[in-house]
Amino acid sequence: MEDKAQIQEAIKTQGEVVRKLKSEKASKEQIDEEVAKLLQLKAQLGGDDGKHQFVLKTAKGTRDYNPKQMAIREKVFNTIIGCFKRHGAETIDTPVFELKETLTGKYGEDSKLIYDLKDQGGELLSLRYDLTVPFARYLAMNKITNIKRYHIAKVYRRDNPAMTRGRYREFYQCDFDIAGQYDAMIPDAECLKIVHEILSELDLGDFRIKVNDRRILDGMFAVCGVPDDKFRTICSTVDKLDKLPWEEVKKEMVNEKGLSEEAADQIGEYVSMQGGMDLAERLLQDQKMSQSKQACAGLSDIKLLFSYLQLFQVTDKVVFDLSLARGLDYYTGIIYEAVLTQAGVAPVTTDAQNGAPSEESVSVGSVAGGGRYDGLVGMFDPKGRKVPCVGVSIGIERVFSIMEQKAEASAEKVRTTEVQVMVASAQKNLLEEKLKLITELWNAGIKAEVMYKKNPKLLSQLQHCEESGIPLVAILGEQELKDGVVKLRVVATREEVDISRADLIGEIRRRTSEA
Amino acid sequence: MQIDEEVAKLLQLKAQLGGDDGKHQFVLKTAKGTRDYNPKQMAIREKVFNTIIGCFKRHGAETIDTPVFELKETLTGKYGEDSKLIYDLKDQGGELLSLRYDLTVPFARYLAMNKITNIKRYHIAKVYRRDNPAMTRGRYREFYQCDFDIAGQYDAMIPDAECLKIVHEILSELDLGDFRIKVNDRRILDGMFAVCGVPDDKFRTICSTVDKLDKLPWEEVKKEMVNEKGLSEEAADQIGEYVSMQGGMDLAERLLQDQKMSQSKQACAGLSDIKLLFSYLQLFQVTDKASAEKVRTTEVQVMVASAQKNLLEEKLKLITELWNAGIKAEVMYKKNPKLLSQLQHCEESGIPLVAILGEQELKDGVVKLRVVATREEVQLIHNTHTVSLLAHGRMT
């Protein structure tokens, strides 16, 4: 087995040989012979080195989270989970892959975006596409009829990045769902209240929650002359109104989906309507719309919903919007989507001092969506027992991305560790004393660090504190040890005070709790 | 013919159902080797994670996350015989992908990709292995791993010792009962193999066999070494003598003096490092599990106690002075507690000082101050100066 370096040398030499022959215009046979030798040498290198290659890429559409991003992520999760817990939800977890059959037939046109696992001789598996189908399976499997649960986990979609720039293939979903038979619209209203609370607490700027109802959409299609068998596909097209202008959407309806232009125009009139409870009342009086029993049921529920939203004090941001038509097959009643409005981000304080506000437009589409899906669990239950569900999914990746941008723009540093005290030394040969001290601190639950060096320079230790954002340093020195004290230094102000060893822990606790 | 015609109709009807009703099939199973976590399990999980993550954070670690699948190439050639247990994703026209098998290879990729030379990181996430359930009963195919790693060039054994301190803290806090942390060194193993006459090219495979000692008795392990791995019986016996040894720093010292072992430079380097490790572990207070430092749940500095009866009023007066001076103090909710009980309470709670009142001391205007840990006692004049000294911790 030749040394890699030797082979590389040989490749270099052989390369020279080939180049020389070519420049001398030697015979084809001669050149070919030497080229063959060169290729053989190169092959040796390629084959052997297979396992020592480190491919420095993540899979397309996926990414690592570095410590800064994780710190932001943790804050966001804490806010969101705090809200879920405040509303009395419990949590579950499910496997990252399901039996392929479980996911089949649940996602309509989007089914082609599912990641399958290779057939390795066992069951056929697919990575979960969302958290709703696993939830329905969980309910049916455990014969659960009532639950209020949240679930935060990653899901997988083979999106084509060229078409949907910035979309990841592996991303977090953050779902909250209320399953069970209850009086109409109360749980539905609570979901919207939760969305409102979360988006407000996360401080992402202004937002709107658009609300509609599948029954109103279907009723609208019916009275506009859409054939029954085209409902779902026309629904998908209407859904594109958040990204495409009406002309293009109408074109798709007429040219690709075979709808009559008249029907398309009638739809066009309705989908431009937005309002509140008043719009629902108006439509109940609308000559055409009121012909559909379905639509009327949906409209009455919208009115009921708005009455509860008033009590929950969240009507200021909720809009009844007839153009909302979420893409998934399984919604049966109310549907909703929250979007951030353009004037989103607060100016950076430093620039504001100069009178030049630095705003970033972070129009990132929808940040939450959901609705009622009464038929899904029944699909899993052998007896077809229905468990009505309503829920919402927070678009947490978009939230992360906004928070990351904010952190980038702000002067404040994001800490990636929570260390409160650096244990440092002013002279040499104090490692033993530092390790003793840090053990006391750890035993008392204080977050502390020490350098992995027997004799580090004080300056390096202080620099580490500045870089990591560690607020306090406990400095040991020979004189201090004799006196039974520790020098406690505040990194930000450089103030130093001598604290007795016995008092140190109490002092640290006092200072870190005040922070 | 009639039958065939009607059967054809039946099949056609069923086909309609099969095609259309794909979505009405009742699959009420999770994939083999995987399971859901119900809310009770999630509550327990959250507690456990909080304890563990709290410990990692206390030691200044940051965290990262990586994707659930890697490029197949990234995982190829890293797991030896275990590679056949990797879950591959179907070739759907893009890159070839596999589910991560552990968190260490992704960590190494992350470091290389970001050119990171120093990091102290933890990573808690699920990993995937196509274990054969018949052979490894009870093992899941999807399961959590919880890794803590320190990467970077540092002075010898300090980060190594901190890892052990962390394991000790976590296992203690989780309150799982008694535990032991076994420590060894690859260089000592290799050196041992060398001086016992194991050929170089058999080191790794003999190592795998020695590893089975936690499940199999020595006779079986020896049998595998001699019969399957082709080791001489003499070499196996020599290994047998060494692998039965356990101890602390003293064992490392003894082996450094061992005639055979000391011949291996490698083993000596490993043994010196074990000694260094144990010296740090002593400072971290984790060498003797029985003497592990108790985590205090209160911050009381002084217990106000009495040596005789009917001193509650005086104790309450004294404790009020202490509280007014900002000292954290406690007194027993008993009119006439025994001194022993009061002292026992101090030991259990970790209270460092006791201020003991007695009739004679009251007449003399003094207070006996006792250091719980050393049992030293001093007599102090009971005045505001003493109290203020006590408040500023000048008493130890």
Side-chain angles (χ1 to χ4, degrees), chain B residues 80-135:
Chain B
E81 286 178 21
D82 289 340
S83 297
K84 58 186 185 315
L85 299 180
I86 296 175
Y87 275 99
D88 289 328
L89 268 69
K90 182 175 172 185
D91 184 350
Q92 288 169 293
E95 301 159 319
L96 291 183
L97 307 167
S98 300
L99 295 183
R100 65 186 169 211
Y101 186 84
D102 66 7
L103 300 178
T104 308
V105 167
F107 178 46
R109 181 207 33 80
Y110 176 84
L111 294 182
M113 220 165 120
N114 296 283
K115 296 184 175 32
I116 291 170
T117 55
N118 293 70
I119 188 173
K120 184 161 48 180
R121 82 96 185 75
Y122 68 92
H123 188 186
I124 301 180
K126 291 182 187 163
V127 299
Y128 301 86
R129 302 186 184 181
R130 289 182 69 246
D131 262 327
N132 183 351
M135 301 182 72

Side-chain angles (χ1 to χ4, degrees), chain B residues 30-161:
Chain B
T30 49
K32 180 192 276 190
T34 70
R35 54 159 172 155
D36 297 319
Y37 285 79
N38 65 37
K40 264 206 179 72
Q41 292 167 317
M42 290 300 282
I44 291 171
R45 194 170 101 176
E46 188 179 331
K47 259 211 216 107
V48 173
F49 281 165
N50 284 345
T51 298
I52 292 176
I53 291 173
C55 179
F56 291 153
K57 284 182 169 180
R58 192 158 57 241
H59 287 256
E62 32 188 27
T63 186
I64 65 168
D65 199 9
T66 65
V68 82
F69 47 68
E70 297 274 345
L71 295 175
K72 193 171 156 68
E73 310 161 67
T74 301
L75 304 187
T76 305
K78 308 293 184 310
Y79 301 106
E81 286 178 21
D82 289 340
S83 297
K84 58 186 185 315
L85 299 180
I86 296 175
Y87 275 99
D88 289 328
L89 268 69
K90 182 175 172 185
D91 184 350
Q92 288 169 293
E95 301 159 319
L96 291 183
L97 307 167
S98 300
L99 295 183
R100 65 186 169 211
Y101 186 84
D102 66 7
L103 300 178
T104 308
V105 167
F107 178 46
R109 181 207 33 80
Y110 176 84
L111 294 182
M113 220 165 120
N114 296 283
K115 296 184 175 32
I116 291 170
T117 55
N118 293 70
I119 188 173
K120 184 161 48 180
R121 82 96 185 75
Y122 68 92
H123 188 186
I124 301 180
K126 291 182 187 163
V127 299
Y128 301 86
R129 302 186 184 181
R130 289 182 69 246
D131 262 327
N132 183 351
M135 301 182 72
T136 47
R137 229 170 307 135
R139 262 211 220 175
Y140 288 105
R141 290 180 162 186
E142 171 190 66
F143 59 96
Y144 265 104
Q145 273 201 334
C146 177
D147 285 13
F148 172 86
D149 294 87
I150 301 171
Q153 183 68 47
Y154 300 110
D155 285 353
M157 303 318 276
I158 312 176
D160 311 53

Side-chain angles (χ1 to χ4, degrees), chain A residues 326-397:
Chain A
R326 301 202 26 93
L328 296 173
D329 266 5
Y330 48 69
Y331 291 118
T332 55
I334 184 183
I335 53 178
Y336 38 80
E337 191 171 87
V339 291
L340 296 179
T341 58
Q342 199 80 350
V345 185
V348 176
T349 32
T350 50
D351 278 19
Q353 281 173 350
N354 303 335
S358 145
E359 283 169 286
E360 297 161 276
S361 68
V362 279
S363 103
V364 284
S366 90
V367 286
R372 174 162 287 283
Y373 52 104
D374 288 347
L376 186 61
V377 180
M379 279 190 199
F380 286 94
D381 188 293
K383 298 218 172 97
R385 270 181 291 235
K386 251 180 59 155
V387 177
C389 297
V390 65
V392 64
S393 187
I394 309 284
I396 211 164
E397 292 288 343

Side-chain angles (χ1 to χ4, degrees), chain B residues 190-220:
Chain B
D190 284 353
M192 173 177 82
F193 293 152
V195 303
C196 291
V198 177
D200 277 17
D201 59 352
K202 286 208 203 292
F203 274 18
R204 293 282 70 84
T205 184
I206 293 296
C207 212
S208 296
T209 306
V210 169
D211 194 31
K212 299 184 184 184
L213 273 171
D214 59 353
K215 298 185 191 75
L216 303 172
W218 168 245
E219 294 68 42
E220 300 229 20

Side-chain angles (χ1 to χ4, degrees), chain B residues 17 21 37 42 54 63 78 102 111 116 142 159 172-174 203-204 248 299 311 313 320 345 348 359 369 385:
Chain B
L17 204 65
D21 242 11
Y37 285 79
M42 290 300 282
T63 186
K78 308 293 184 310
D102 66 7
L111 294 182
I116 291 170
E142 171 190 66
S172 304
E173 271 184 66
L174 288 175
F203 274 18
R204 293 282 70 84
E299 300 176 13
L311 290 173
E313 198 177 300
T320 303
H345 175 72
E348 282 160 31
E359 279 165 28
L369 192 66
H385 180 63

Side-chain angles (χ1 to χ4, degrees), chain B residues 318-367:
Chain B
L318 176 59
I319 203 174
T320 303
E321 281 178 64
L322 300 182
W323 285 335
N324 285 350
I327 296 165
K328 299 178 192 125
E330 246 189 343
V331 68
M332 262 187 147
Y333 299 134
K334 234 172 141 61
K335 280 189 291 212
N336 296 309
K338 293 202 177 3
L339 182 58
L340 192 59
S341 324
Q342 295 165 90
L343 295 175
Q344 261 172 351
H345 175 72
C346 290
E347 308 235 8
E348 282 160 31
S349 295
I351 301 170
L353 297 172
V354 205
I356 308 176
L357 289 175
E359 279 165 28
Q360 191 56 49
E361 286 84 0
L362 281 166
K363 286 200 188 107
D364 298 338
V366 298
V367 176

